[in-house]
Amino acid sequence: MLDDAFKQMGLSEIILTALEKKGFEKPTQIQSETIPLMLSDDRDIIGQAQTGTGKTAAFGLPIIEMLNPGSKDVQALVLTPTRELTIQVANELHELKGAKPLNITPIYGGQSIEKQIKQLRRPNDIIIGTPGRLIDHLKAKKLNLSQVKYVVLDEADEMLNGGFIEDIEFILSQTNSDRKTLLFSATMPSAILQLAKKYMNEYITIKTKKETLATTLTEQIYFEVRESDKLEALCRIIDVEDDFYGLIFCRTKRDVDTINE
């Protein structure tokens, strides 16, 4: 059942219904601090939070709440370091919006660029994308970010580690100067703070405690094996574990097909 803490944040019934449908109960620390702040304060936000603390809902819920359906312009942009995270964030926002008629579009490399161009000709309220593919569309004049109200840099430290700093700066230079910017990062290296100083207005910093991580409930172990032994090792683990339930992530489609067979 949805906790009163969510109901007291100022979220609409449409959003609260979507949260309840997704099985949300209590907000995490980053959600408790970010959502009310975004809904009531014009300052930019830097959030230091680990993966697994509910960052997507922390920035996604207030953005969904404040956007007006039916706009012809892109209203919000979420930058992510990988295609996997792009898809994950897009799916999460799609579920969080509930019945609110917002168009949410993921843009990433590896997907048909013609299909993306076709999608960009339609109204898009929220774009989630990787820097490289977004730049392709910006340079080809297929994407216009001049009216963007919100820009989110998700896992900013991972984007910097991936060498995307110049790409991020180029994309930010194409956005509305009056936008509200949110930067989320697990760590705060000097390069992130320099980026904030250069591209963010007055901002407030939110830092979560490590003990709020959802992953603390999961034991994490790994086995180092040769490539040729990986499948046998996986089968052995499945054999020795009672009532094995799991998700197996692979690097390529071929790996997925091979393991499935």
Side-chain angles (χ1 to χ4, degrees), residues 217-234:
L217 301 176
T218 307
E219 180 186 5
Q220 301 186 45
I221 59 175
Y222 72 92
F223 301 96
E224 196 169 331
V225 298
R226 291 193 299 268
E227 180 77 23
S228 58
D229 295 333
K230 283 170 68 176
L231 184 58
E232 184 178 346
L234 173 63

Side-chain angles (χ1 to χ4, degrees), residues 37-76:
L37 194 64
M38 278 194 69
L39 293 174
S40 62
D41 197 309
D42 290 333
R43 285 177 292 179
D44 292 347
I45 295 173
I46 291 181
Q48 185 170 354
Q50 308 291 322
T51 298
T53 52
K55 288 189 283 89
T56 304
F59 65 75
L61 288 171
I63 287 177
I64 289 169
E65 184 67 52
M66 292 185 287
L67 293 188
N68 296 315
S71 172
K72 295 180 180 179
D73 301 306
V74 177
Q75 300 185 71

Side-chain angles (χ1 to χ4, degrees), residues 4-260:
D4 284 342
F6 272 121
K7 298 177 182 178
Q8 294 166 2
M9 288 180 178
L11 296 169
S12 63
E13 283 300 320
I14 286 179
I15 306 302
L16 293 175
T17 300
L19 284 175
E20 198 152 18
K21 187 177 180 180
K22 273 184 65 67
F24 275 64
E25 294 180 359
K26 295 182 179 180
T28 64
Q29 184 189 351
I30 192 69
Q31 291 165 1
S32 294
E33 296 190 33
T34 304
I35 295 171
L37 194 64
M38 278 194 69
L39 293 174
S40 62
D41 197 309
D42 290 333
R43 285 177 292 179
D44 292 347
I45 295 173
I46 291 181
Q48 185 170 354
Q50 308 291 322
T51 298
T53 52
K55 288 189 283 89
T56 304
F59 65 75
L61 288 171
I63 287 177
I64 289 169
E65 184 67 52
M66 292 185 287
L67 293 188
N68 296 315
S71 172
K72 295 180 180 179
D73 301 306
V74 177
Q75 300 185 71
L77 172 69
V78 182
L79 280 170
T80 58
T82 65
R83 71 181 70 175
E84 291 79 13
L85 186 57
T86 296
I87 296 168
Q88 179 183 321
V89 170
N91 290 339
E92 182 80 358
L93 295 186
H94 184 76
E95 292 179 354
L96 291 174
K97 77 179 179 65
K100 191 165 185 177
L102 294 174
N103 296 313
I104 299 170
T105 305
I107 298 291
Y108 53 91
Q111 187 185 48
S112 166
I113 198 162
E114 289 79 15
K115 180 181 178 181
Q116 291 176 358
I117 290 172
K118 190 175 180 180
Q119 179 61 47
L120 290 173
R121 291 196 188 109
R122 305 169 186 164
N124 295 280
D125 297 296
I126 304 175
I127 297 283
I128 303 105
T130 50
R133 182 53 64 92
L134 287 172
I135 287 177
D136 290 341
H137 290 298
L138 285 167
K139 290 185 174 179
K141 307 294 184 185
K142 304 299 182 183
L143 177 62
N144 184 349
L145 300 176
S146 63
Q147 302 302 311
V148 160
K149 298 176 182 177
Y150 305 97
V151 172
V152 180
L153 304 180
D154 194 11
E155 298 200 2
D157 50 354
E158 291 299 322
M159 283 194 280
L160 295 186
N161 290 339
F164 290 126
I165 182 64
E166 291 181 357
D167 291 347
I168 293 170
E169 291 184 337
F170 175 78
I171 292 168
L172 290 177
S173 73
Q174 303 297 302
T175 62
N176 179 9
S177 59
D178 292 331
R179 71 184 182 272
K180 182 165 184 172
T181 306
L182 298 97
L183 186 155
F184 289 91
S185 183
T187 59
M188 285 294 156
S190 59
I192 294 242
L193 298 176
Q194 289 171 11
L195 188 70
K197 186 176 180 181
K198 187 174 181 180
Y199 289 100
M200 296 176 74
N201 299 314
E202 181 186 359
Y203 61 82
I204 186 168
T205 301
I206 298 171
K207 186 175 181 180
T208 61
K209 298 176 183 176
K210 287 189 176 180
E211 56 263 32
T212 62
L213 277 170
T215 50
T216 54
L217 301 176
T218 307
E219 180 186 5
Q220 301 186 45
I221 59 175
Y222 72 92
F223 301 96
E224 196 169 331
V225 298
R226 291 193 299 268
E227 180 77 23
S228 58
D229 295 333
K230 283 170 68 176
L231 184 58
E232 184 178 346
L234 173 63
C235 294
R236 186 74 60 86
I237 292 168
I238 293 173
D239 283 341
V240 300
E241 289 292 334
D242 293 332
D243 299 322
F244 180 88
Y245 295 92
L247 293 170
I248 300 171
F249 294 95
C250 304
R251 189 174 56 184
T252 65
K253 287 182 181 179
R254 183 177 297 176
D255 289 343
V256 171
D257 292 337
T258 300
I259 292 174
N260 182 52

